[in-house]
Every structure is written in structure tokens, then in C-alpha cells.
Amino acid sequence: FCLMAVPGKAAFHLPPLPTVGEIIKLFRLKAQKQLSQNFLLDLRLTDKIVRQAGELKNAHVCEVGPGPGGITRSILKAGVEQLLLIEKDPRFIPGLQMLSEAAPGKVRIVHGDILTYKMEKAFPKHLKKNWEDEPPDIHIIGNLPFSVSTPLIIKWLENVSKKDGPFIYGRTQMTLTFQKEVAERLTANPGGNQRSRLSVMSQHLCTVENCFIIPGQAFVPKPEVDVAVVHFTPLVQPKIEQPFELVEKVVRSVFHFRRKYCFRGLGTLFPESGRLKRTEQLMMTANVDPTLRPFQLSMSQFRNLCDTYRKMCDEDPGLFVYNYREELKQKKQMRKLIKSTSEPEQTEEENYL
């Protein structure tokens, strides 16, 4: 590697290396469909993704699922202080080690699953900032496999709510790829067709920006959908100040019957006995029109619903653990039991026949 002299601080440059395409051939790397892997080989696009993260000079970065290392090269070119690579697929490790050797002391490779990796100790303690301060010099960047992207962002949103995981250091920023349709749901406004549970859960905790679209043909192999780059910055103050589990339960219930009035979905928060009365009480206290569709509700209406539901749970501690699906399941089992016991017993002759 070489260091180019620049007044004040030396700039880092990677030495000549095999291209990403050559790395794929060298290590016989093939995208696995069952892992929904798609490689991005165009370094102009990987540079563009990394620019969306903001100023990375001397920053600490975690890249999720680096694969053959296209985005990894762009992150290193941005002059980061330290780069943590978390890769689940062992086939990519040798190629990433080549990059690590080309950038001595800058790269740390972890062979593991980001869904279970503990990020509380991933970065130096001195980088921690108070939640009210500007975001820390820590970034998460990743071209995520489609199968992982939605469960991972839900997990990280819960971490934002609880200020743990990668957010123990402060309001850590994230720049991630999603299927275009998922990105549209993440950023959809009230009234829009794509407004969903994901919209409310992400926007009540973060500023969410749909940065740009990458056409599917830019990837190898080409996915059937286009891909969007989304940037998240956690908010100092969440728009709904209730525990993550409670907000998720209310929002999930609202969208339970997406095409019906929101009254119908909110009814699933309550046991069948007294459901109508308690749903009316919830909507009247929260001042929400019961004939609105779920996607029409504003963030302030969701806040009112969550705050009111919280009060109802405080008055009736057993309410929060109520599970609509479990009640349906028990009713179904009970009907089966009644049906089987009410059928007349067959005679010995009928059994024989």
C-alpha cells in the first residue's frame, strides 16, 4: 500500500489489486440463490453508495455482508480509520483477507451472522456520544441480501428504541440497500399506497431517506427487481414515546386488515368478550376516525392510539399479553373437539362395513 503526502494528514490509497470480477473468478465465487446474493461490480456505484453515508474520513465503519468486497474498496478509499467486516459466507473470507493485507491495520474481519453478532463491543469506547449530541463517527453500510434486509432493519429499529446494540454509541447512522418496493414502504407518507407497518416503525424512530435507485442489471446475477439505497439517522426524540413492543403491537394490529377500516384491525388488540366496547373506547379517547383506512393514519394518530392503549394496559395488566391469533387457534381447536364429540358412535357392524 502507499501513503500519498497531503498537508496535515496522509491520504490512504489501496495498491493495485485484482478487480472484483477477477476476485470472483480467482476464488470461484458464485452467488447463491438461496442466500439471495447479488454482487455489485461497478465501483462507480459502490463509490456512490458510500458517499450517501456522509463524511467517512477517519470514521469507524461496519460493513454488513461485504461479499467479494466491492463496497469494501470504496469504504477504504474514503479514508476510514477502522473497517469491521461481518461476513456469514466463508467463501468470501479469502478475498476479504487480501483486501485486509492491502490495508494493514485498518480492516477486521468477523466470520459470523449479523443477526446474532453482538455490536455492543464492536467499536472503541471513546467514540461514544450522548444521544442528544451529533451522531458518533460510526457508520453501518451494507448491500444486504433481500432475505435478511427486513428482519435486520426491524431488529436495528428495536435497538434504536432501546439505545443498545450499535446504538449504544449514540445515534449511529446506517446506509443500506433494499428491494425498491421495501424502500418505498420504509419512506412512504400517510395516504400513500405503500404506507405500511414498516413505514411507521422506521419513521417514528429515524429520519429515513430514499437516496437513489440502482437498476437490477447493475448486479450479478441480475435480480428481478431494482434496488434502492436508504439512509437512516436515529431521531433524538422518537415520535411515539412508548416501548418498542407496545408500538409494534398497535401498529401491527392496525395493518392486520389493511384494506378495511382501522377499527377492524384495532379490534384485534382486545379479547372477543368486550371487544367492540373497548375498541370504541380506544378510538374515542385517541380521537381517531374509525372509518379511516390504516394507510391514512398520521404519525400523531398512531401516537394517540399507542398512548391510549398504554393507559388501558396499565389499568388491565393482562391486556398486553392478549394474543388475537392464539384466541383464534383455541376457538378452532374447541370447534374441532365439539364436532368430534357430538358425532354418534358407530355400531360394530358399521365399523366392519
Side-chain angles (χ1 to χ4, degrees), residues 141-328:
I141 299 174
N143 173 31
L144 305 175
F146 296 153
S147 60
V148 172
S149 59
T150 302
L152 184 56
I153 196 59
I154 288 290
K155 177 182 187 289
W156 277 340
L157 288 170
E158 184 172 2
N159 290 145
V160 171
S161 176
K162 296 176 179 178
K163 299 176 185 172
D164 60 12
F167 307 97
I168 202 165
Y169 303 93
R171 296 186 295 120
T172 301
Q173 297 177 79
M174 302 180 284
T175 308
L176 307 166
T177 60
F178 296 88
Q179 288 184 54
K180 184 185 170 192
E181 290 76 8
V182 175
E184 287 170 350
R185 288 204 291 274
L186 283 162
T187 55
N189 293 318
N193 286 335
Q194 295 283 13
R195 187 73 167 174
S196 67
R197 177 175 73 108
L198 209 50
S199 319
V200 181
M201 294 308 297
S202 56
Q203 291 171 34
H204 107 82
L205 290 162
C206 298
T207 300
V208 191
E209 181 189 357
N210 194 336
C211 303
F212 67 96
I213 305 297
I214 305 174
Q217 60 260 33
F219 293 86
V220 178
K222 178 191 168 188
E224 294 176 4
V225 294
D226 292 337
V227 172
V229 177
V230 182
H231 184 77
F232 300 81
T233 306
L235 294 166
V236 173
Q237 205 75 23
K239 291 179 181 172
I240 304 171
E241 294 199 59
Q242 295 294 349
F244 183 85
E245 293 82 1
L246 185 140
V247 177
E248 190 181 37
K249 186 177 183 186
V250 171
V251 175
R252 189 172 61 243
S253 297
V254 170
F255 285 99
H256 194 90
F257 300 101
R258 181 179 169 76
R259 300 189 180 281
K260 298 186 183 293
Y261 294 141
C262 61
F263 184 94
R264 180 75 179 85
L266 282 164
T268 64
L269 288 169
F270 306 105
E272 191 174 26
S273 58
R275 176 173 292 156
L276 183 61
K277 185 180 176 184
R278 294 177 103 174
T279 308
E280 286 175 348
Q281 179 192 344
L282 171 63
M283 303 208 74
M284 282 181 65
T285 310
N287 194 25
V288 173
D289 181 349
T291 63
L292 288 173
R293 310 283 178 183
F295 61 88
Q296 294 176 306
L297 295 183
S298 67
M299 192 63 79
S300 62
Q301 287 172 317
F302 274 107
R303 182 177 61 240
N304 291 348
L305 287 168
C306 290
D307 290 346
T308 306
Y309 180 65
R310 172 66 185 269
K311 285 177 186 172
M312 294 172 83
C313 289
D314 288 344
E315 290 165 8
D316 178 2
L319 183 58
F320 185 70
V321 296
Y322 165 72
N323 186 310
Y324 174 73
R325 290 184 184 277
E326 193 59 40
E327 187 180 48
L328 280 182

Side-chain angles (χ1 to χ4, degrees), residues 8-247:
K9 190 123 184 174
F12 174 78
H13 290 266
L14 282 169
L17 286 166
T19 65
V20 180
E22 288 166 348
I23 290 279
I24 289 169
K25 285 179 185 173
L26 179 65
F27 294 104
R28 296 178 181 177
L29 303 172
K30 190 178 179 183
Q32 294 193 354
K33 195 172 182 180
Q34 65 267 33
L35 298 177
S36 58
Q37 291 173 339
N38 302 95
F39 304 148
L40 192 54
L41 308 186
D42 188 337
L43 294 186
R44 289 169 302 177
L45 282 171
T46 61
D47 286 348
K48 191 176 178 182
I49 290 171
V50 169
R51 282 198 298 273
Q52 300 303 319
E55 179 55 61
L56 296 186
K57 184 83 173 164
N58 302 322
H60 288 247
V61 176
C62 170
E63 186 189 353
V64 183
I71 293 177
T72 313
R73 295 177 187 224
S74 297
I75 294 170
L76 287 168
K77 276 186 351 190
V80 298
E81 180 74 20
Q82 286 285 324
L83 175 56
L84 168 64
L85 303 175
I86 301 175
E87 178 55 64
K88 183 179 179 179
D89 192 332
R91 298 175 305 140
F92 296 120
I93 302 299
L96 297 174
Q97 284 170 338
M98 186 184 287
L99 276 175
S100 177
E101 288 160 13
K106 281 189 175 286
V107 180
R108 182 158 59 97
I109 301 168
V110 171
H111 175 214
D113 187 344
I114 188 62
L115 286 167
T116 55
Y117 180 71
K118 304 289 183 189
M119 293 193 71
E120 288 85 348
K121 296 178 181 175
F123 303 105
K125 286 182 182 177
H126 74 265
L127 295 172
K128 280 189 181 183
K129 287 201 175 182
N130 293 325
W131 196 258
E132 297 74 24
D133 296 341
E134 287 297 303
D137 227 0
I138 295 172
H139 295 261
I140 297 172
I141 299 174
N143 173 31
L144 305 175
F146 296 153
S147 60
V148 172
S149 59
T150 302
L152 184 56
I153 196 59
I154 288 290
K155 177 182 187 289
W156 277 340
L157 288 170
E158 184 172 2
N159 290 145
V160 171
S161 176
K162 296 176 179 178
K163 299 176 185 172
D164 60 12
F167 307 97
I168 202 165
Y169 303 93
R171 296 186 295 120
T172 301
Q173 297 177 79
M174 302 180 284
T175 308
L176 307 166
T177 60
F178 296 88
Q179 288 184 54
K180 184 185 170 192
E181 290 76 8
V182 175
E184 287 170 350
R185 288 204 291 274
L186 283 162
T187 55
N189 293 318
N193 286 335
Q194 295 283 13
R195 187 73 167 174
S196 67
R197 177 175 73 108
L198 209 50
S199 319
V200 181
M201 294 308 297
S202 56
Q203 291 171 34
H204 107 82
L205 290 162
C206 298
T207 300
V208 191
E209 181 189 357
N210 194 336
C211 303
F212 67 96
I213 305 297
I214 305 174
Q217 60 260 33
F219 293 86
V220 178
K222 178 191 168 188
E224 294 176 4
V225 294
D226 292 337
V227 172
V229 177
V230 182
H231 184 77
F232 300 81
T233 306
L235 294 166
V236 173
Q237 205 75 23
K239 291 179 181 172
I240 304 171
E241 294 199 59
Q242 295 294 349
F244 183 85
E245 293 82 1
L246 185 140
V247 177

Side-chain angles (χ1 to χ4, degrees), residues 331-343:
K331 280 172 69 178
K332 194 174 179 181
Q333 288 172 343
M334 187 61 72
R335 279 199 299 268
K336 271 187 180 178
L337 186 65
I338 292 168
K339 189 179 177 184
S340 64
T341 54
S342 62
E343 287 176 358

